[in-house]
Amino acid sequence: MRNLILTLLLITASANLQAQCDLITPLAEEGFENLIQTNEDGELQLHYENRRYRFEGLALQKVLEIIADTPCLSNSITLIIYNKGIPVTEIGTTKALIDDLISGTISAKEFTSSSSFDFTTKKKPKEKTTQSSYLKSDLAVGARTDYLLGNFDNPIRWTPMFLPSLQSTIAKGTQINTTFGVVLYDDLYNWETSRFRYAFASHNGRLPGGIFTRLSAGYFEQTQYGIEGHATKFFFGDQLRLDLNLSLTENRFLDTPPGRRAIDKNHFSYGFKATYRYTPWTTDLSIHYGRYIFDDTGYTVLLQRQFNEVFIGFFMREVDQQIVGSFGTLYDRNYGFQFTVPIGTKKHLKPNYFRPKTDEQYTLDYNYTGGVSIGRRIYAPGTVIAELEEYYPSTLQRALESLFKGH
Amino acid sequence: MNKPLTLLVACLLFATSISNAQSTIGTRGLVKAPTARMFEDGTLALGAAFIPPGYHKRTFGSKKGDVVPNAGLNTFVTVNLFPFMEIMFRYSHEINLPVTPITQYFPDRMFTARFKLLNETEKWPAVVLGMQDVVAFFDTNAAGGGSTPNFASTYLVATKNFNYKGFNIDTTLGYGSDIGDIPAKEFRGIFGGVEITTPYLEDTQLLLDYDATYINIGVQKQFFKRLHTMVSYYPNYQKVGWVLAYRYKMY
């Protein structure tokens, strides 16, 4: 009899603890979206999307802290991280490891080597999503500087501008993005005015076999109007990445500056890119070959290191056109470096139907040997493929190792 | 042995934390001479160095390479891109000289890459291969500077740390020379020096170096582990310069 009572008590306690393992409530309160929690065969699956933290590594750190604070019996835990409603990355770990990481019993390196990090092949479960990210809009303000070394009468030619933008995810993988450029000063182009820079709609997807896809239509940067498509496939985790991009556009202004006539000419551009990532140093070596949007054909080699949110890269471009640089110098190749740094706040306001925020990154290309109008591709900011580096398994591993460095 | 070399050898003989110096040329170094020290992987330094009149060399035109009465200002960004590699991008400005079609002046741009060949061990020093004004190796026509780099130098430098009665002495010895068609515009021959940290002043170091041309003296101090300041003194012309740099760890 006593054994029966003890067994009943244990079952009740276990059920109670299981009931307490509610990760949805604290994560929703924190501002995470597209939340789903499932418990099957002792494995807890947690699906989440982050738009609260500027960096996915920081978001993952917060999620792990919340899991450590929550009593859960399921030892096996799988985290599936989403972007625009698309499952991207998967982390397999245990509750014990998370507890040890947060308490400082083990180092982040021990945690990452004992857990699995990879792109996910899982689909979104049928369970109801808590706190959907759809039909919510962000009004973000970013900045951009177009820059070219000048000559003796004007050493630096530049066009700095603020970029207020409106971005919204309408449904799973479908988003719209509109950006206005407030030109502060222009002695690079000498015709640029404040105007709409781009307005496009994109559909992001993930095909069977883990191929990320994007199809966009609308007005893009460089006064390009038309459609573009992009496909990305990874091999060996994130060590090898292959990209294919296609676009059919024509020069057309969304908001034509006075006195500026759009050139009526279609561009078909394409490109293939292969990227090798040396994961211990989160360093990419890539080569892109293709026909670019201003009808130049050639290749771009880029060596780039990612330090969490900071990217520093060196590039070399060669196209079938001579490159005009400062002092009118003609170059066969375009050398330069580029960097991307985080801007704004690390943590945004909670996502809502309308949320003001700062943009997340500032990027500058420095062309050492001229050439701002060669090797240009259609860029669709804010899309899943454009943001993939933050979701790389090696990026998240390295982020945890640096964020938990003091442990 | 000439006077500067005698002084350098004397310092080495008396010579002993790892050095912190951000030199006037923008890379890790003493006052001017580079060392075999590197910051941690992922460290970024953004700074400026004032070069007093008498030390700054013109970087353009018919007087290219000559010492001019104007002072100079080196503005630089230095990154430890990999654990074994430091890169630096620098603009060298001549103060009080506007960029106009009349002056034909344009600030000099340069890249430097430094590679760690050996880490310091108990017995052996750290060794670095430096390639200053590396554009020379690619034969790229740098705007305004012509095709001949102004600060090209290829050198090997070794640094070893010693402790003596609580004093930390970081000693450096290097050698720079022409490589092929690329002439060494700086650090041609033997250079070196010491960085001394006393147990009495935290985050403060005394620097003494011989840059293969002049002897230079400096005192540096770090604030909040991020802000680096140095005041340099050039005995030959009794001039004073300075370095101000902000350090940021990207990881």
Side-chain angles (χ1 to χ4, degrees):
Chain A
M1 186 64 185
R2 198 165 60 177
N3 282 346
L4 182 64
I5 292 168
L6 271 172
T7 308
L8 281 171
L9 276 172
L10 275 171
I11 290 168
T12 313
S14 163
N16 194 34
L17 272 174
Q18 199 65 33
Q20 284 175 0
C21 184
D22 168 27
L23 294 165
I24 299 292
T25 307
L27 286 168
E29 279 172 8
E30 187 57 30
F32 288 95
E33 298 173 311
N34 295 339
L35 292 159
I36 300 172
Q37 180 179 341
T38 62
N39 287 285
E40 276 180 30
D41 304 327
E43 185 205 0
L44 188 152
Q45 269 189 25
L46 178 67
H47 302 244
Y48 76 87
E49 179 164 340
N50 160 57
R51 291 199 302 136
R52 185 80 200 274
Y53 292 86
R54 188 178 65 194
F55 178 46
E56 282 305 317
L58 274 174
L60 177 59
Q61 182 189 29
K62 188 66 192 174
V63 169
L64 294 176
E65 284 170 359
I66 288 173
I67 294 172
D69 280 346
T70 311
C72 294
L73 277 186
S74 305
N75 199 33
S76 170
I77 294 178
T78 305
L79 305 175
I80 295 107
I81 308 173
Y82 285 57
N83 186 346
K84 314 282 180 305
I86 310 283
V88 180
T89 311
E90 175 181 320
I91 298 164
T93 186
T94 66
K95 178 73 164 71
L97 278 170
I98 295 172
D99 291 346
D100 287 348
L101 173 70
I102 303 300
S103 66
T105 312
I106 61 169
S107 68
K109 195 138 190 114
E110 288 170 299
F111 175 81
T112 55
S113 58
S114 305
S115 307
S116 64
F117 288 70
D118 208 344
F119 289 110
T120 189
T121 52
K122 289 189 169 59
K123 289 183 176 175
K124 190 176 179 179
K126 289 185 177 129
E127 277 84 351
K128 189 174 178 294
T129 299
T130 303
Q131 202 150 285
S132 168
S133 67
Y134 307 152
L135 296 173
K136 293 176 179 173
S137 297
D138 282 345
L139 176 65
V141 180
R144 171 179 151 165
T145 310
D146 290 358
Y147 171 96
L148 184 68
L149 211 63
N151 52 24
F152 294 123
D153 59 20
N154 188 355
I156 294 171
R157 297 173 188 278
W158 66 313
T159 305
M161 61 187 90
F162 282 120
L163 296 172
S165 66
L166 191 70
Q167 302 165 20
S168 184
T169 305
I170 298 166
K172 182 183 174 183
T174 305
Q175 63 178 120
I176 54 167
N177 189 330
T178 305
T179 298
F180 189 82
V182 180
V183 174
L184 303 175
Y185 179 74
D186 172 39
D187 67 355
L188 175 60
Y189 303 106
N190 293 316
W191 57 264
E192 195 61 272
T193 56
S194 296
R195 60 183 175 87
F196 275 102
R197 311 283 313 179
Y198 45 89
F200 62 85
S202 290
H203 183 72
N204 304 274
R206 204 195 66 201
L207 300 178
I211 301 170
F212 292 94
T213 57
R214 180 183 72 214
L215 189 63
S216 311
Y219 291 86
F220 302 96
E221 266 295 357
Q222 307 294 324
T223 67
Q224 297 297 299
Y225 167 71
I227 56 169
E228 70 90 31
H230 197 126
T232 302
K233 166 81 177 156
F234 289 92
F235 300 91
F236 315 115
D238 54 13
Q239 286 188 71
L240 181 63
R241 170 178 173 165
L242 297 180
D243 285 86
L244 167 68
N245 65 279
L246 299 165
S247 66
L248 183 61
T249 56
E250 62 182 56
N251 277 321
R252 192 186 290 183
F253 290 93
L254 178 61
D255 180 7
T256 310
R260 186 78 187 170
R261 192 174 65 84
I263 305 158
D264 191 18
K265 188 180 177 188
N266 290 336
H267 302 284
F268 173 68
S269 66
Y270 60 87
F272 307 94
K273 186 179 175 188
T275 307
Y276 168 74
R277 167 163 284 217
Y278 183 65
T279 52
W281 293 340
T282 50
T283 298
D284 297 326
L285 176 64
S286 67
I287 180 161
H288 178 276
Y289 175 81
R291 182 182 168 86
Y292 300 102
I293 57 174
F294 292 127
D295 299 333
D296 47 327
T297 303
Y299 65 90
T300 302
V301 178
L302 173 69
L303 175 71
Q304 179 171 263
R305 175 131 192 228
Q306 180 178 6
F307 299 94
N308 288 345
E309 297 177 272
V310 179
F311 296 80
I312 297 175
F314 294 85
F315 59 79
M316 192 268 281
R317 293 190 183 106
E318 188 170 0
V319 294
D320 58 356
Q321 293 174 13
Q322 279 226 301
I323 302 156
V324 183
S326 53
F327 297 93
T329 313
L330 295 172
Y331 298 100
D332 294 329
R333 293 192 183 93
N334 172 215
Y335 292 98
F337 62 89
Q338 60 187 49
F339 63 83
T340 299
V341 292
I343 54 171
T345 54
K346 282 187 177 178
K347 193 176 177 181
H348 305 302
L349 296 171
K350 285 183 186 176
N352 211 324
Y353 292 108
F354 184 80
R355 172 179 70 162
K357 62 179 271 224
T358 51
D359 209 350
E360 300 191 334
Q361 291 179 324
Y362 172 80
T363 298
L364 182 79
D365 280 9
Y366 185 97
N367 294 287
Y368 199 89
T369 52
V372 288
S373 60
I374 61 143
R376 292 282 186 160
R377 280 171 266 168
I378 295 287
Y379 177 54
T383 54
V384 175
I385 288 176
E387 295 178 340
L388 268 179
E389 276 92 348
E390 275 203 33
Y391 297 80
Y392 277 15
S394 60
T395 301
L396 294 171
Q397 284 174 299
R398 197 71 182 85
L400 289 181
E401 285 164 20
S402 59
L403 291 168
F404 286 101
K405 199 181 274 178
H407 282 210
Chain B
M1 192 180 281
N2 63 22
K3 191 178 166 187
L5 272 179
T6 311
L7 266 170
L8 175 65
V9 171
C11 288
L12 291 173
L13 287 173
F14 284 99
T16 108
S17 131
I18 298 299
S19 82
N20 281 291
Q22 186 84 48
S23 69
T24 56
I25 59 170
T27 60
R28 284 297 298 274
L30 298 163
V31 179
K32 183 176 179 184
T35 64
R37 295 292 176 219
M38 283 189 184
F39 287 119
E40 273 185 81
D41 184 28
T43 303
L44 181 145
L46 195 68
F50 175 79
I51 313 298
Y55 284 84
H56 178 73
K57 288 180 180 171
R58 182 147 287 178
T59 57
F60 69 99
S62 59
K63 289 189 175 177
K64 181 170 169 153
D66 293 353
V67 171
V68 288
N70 286 333
L73 187 72
N74 294 338
T75 51
F76 55 84
V77 55
T78 308
V79 180
N80 274 82
L81 195 62
F82 300 110
F84 62 89
M85 182 185 182
E86 175 190 277
I87 52 164
M88 187 265 291
F89 179 62
R90 182 179 106 187
Y91 264 99
S92 306
H93 309 263
E94 186 170 328
I95 295 175
N96 295 328
L97 191 63
V99 178
T100 68
I102 296 166
T103 62
Q104 295 279 301
Y105 158 66
F106 208 88
D108 181 82
R109 301 179 296 166
M110 67 175 260
F111 268 109
T112 292
R114 284 158 39 90
F115 302 90
K116 179 158 275 184
L117 304 181
L118 289 174
N119 281 315
E120 184 178 358
T121 63
E122 201 177 323
K123 287 183 178 174
W124 297 98
V127 177
V128 158
L129 168 70
M131 295 157 80
Q132 189 167 284
D133 217 345
V134 74
V135 171
F137 290 87
F138 299 104
D139 196 27
T140 301
N141 186 19
S147 58
T148 313
N150 287 293
F151 302 98
S153 182
T154 308
Y155 59 81
L156 269 174
V157 62
T159 301
K160 184 86 180 82
N161 194 261
F162 300 96
N163 272 294
Y164 180 73
K165 292 187 176 177
F167 285 81
N168 195 309
I169 305 174
D170 217 38
T171 61
T172 292
L173 191 62
Y175 182 77
S177 75
D178 303 343
I179 291 283
D181 298 336
I182 305 164
K185 298 290 183 71
E186 291 192 321
F187 314 119
R188 184 199 288 264
I190 291 176
F191 61 88
V194 290
E195 176 181 330
I196 303 168
T197 309
T198 81
Y200 311 110
L201 282 170
E202 205 174 324
D203 296 328
T204 307
Q205 294 88 29
L206 175 68
L207 310 169
L208 178 63
D209 77 21
Y210 171 63
D211 63 17
T213 309
Y214 299 117
I215 284 182
N216 313 301
I217 300 168
V219 176
Q220 64 175 359
K221 183 160 180 66
Q222 294 81 42
F223 297 93
F224 319 114
K225 308 285 180 199
R226 288 195 171 194
L227 191 63
H228 173 92
T229 57
M230 177 173 72
V231 176
S232 50
Y233 178 69
Y234 302 87
N236 276 56
Y237 293 95
Q238 299 177 356
K239 301 279 187 186
V240 174
W242 51 261
V243 174
L244 187 63
Y246 178 78
R247 250 178 241 156
Y248 174 72
K249 188 88 172 60
M250 291 183 287
Y251 261 149

